[in-house]
Amino acid sequence: MLLAKVLGQVVATVKEPGLERFTLLLLQDATGADPERSTGAAYVAVDLVGAGVGEIVLVAAGGAARIAAGADAPTDRAVVAIADTVVRNGTVTYSKF
């Protein structure tokens, strides 16, 4: 799984039937010491947990994303959790609260 920051939503009024029940989120990987500083190209993932803009989330990729999404949706990435706290080397680097 990867840590990512939610940048926004992608609205698609016409989509593959397997995706109709999902919100699509625009994400950017949260790599490095500070998860709130995202880097790299933005990408789209299906939202399975109701994440909001600015939140740090856990993203499953590949086959794990398809399984989490119910295998009836063609997806490469899925948001599977919202991070409350990130601890790195014994130090809290992100806290939602």
Side-chain angles (χ1 to χ4, degrees):
M1 285 189 280
L2 305 167
L3 279 176
K5 185 173 184 177
V6 180
L7 302 178
Q9 289 186 346
V10 175
V11 177
T13 55
V14 178
K15 48 189 167 183
E16 203 278 334
L19 293 174
E20 288 176 347
R21 66 179 195 241
F22 298 113
T23 298
L24 303 174
L25 295 178
L26 184 63
L27 306 175
Q28 194 170 38
D29 287 342
T31 57
D34 182 1
E36 292 195 85
R37 292 187 152 202
S38 51
T39 60
Y43 56 90
V44 178
V46 296
D47 181 16
L48 305 179
V49 296
V53 174
E55 290 189 298
I56 302 300
V57 296
L58 291 170
V59 181
R66 283 183 285 285
I67 290 169
D72 62 338
T75 183
D76 289 327
R77 298 188 186 196
V79 175
V80 295
I82 301 170
D84 293 326
T85 306
V86 176
V87 179
R88 182 176 175 160
N89 297 326
T91 302
V92 175
T93 59
Y94 168 79
S95 179
K96 182 177 177 176
F97 308 106

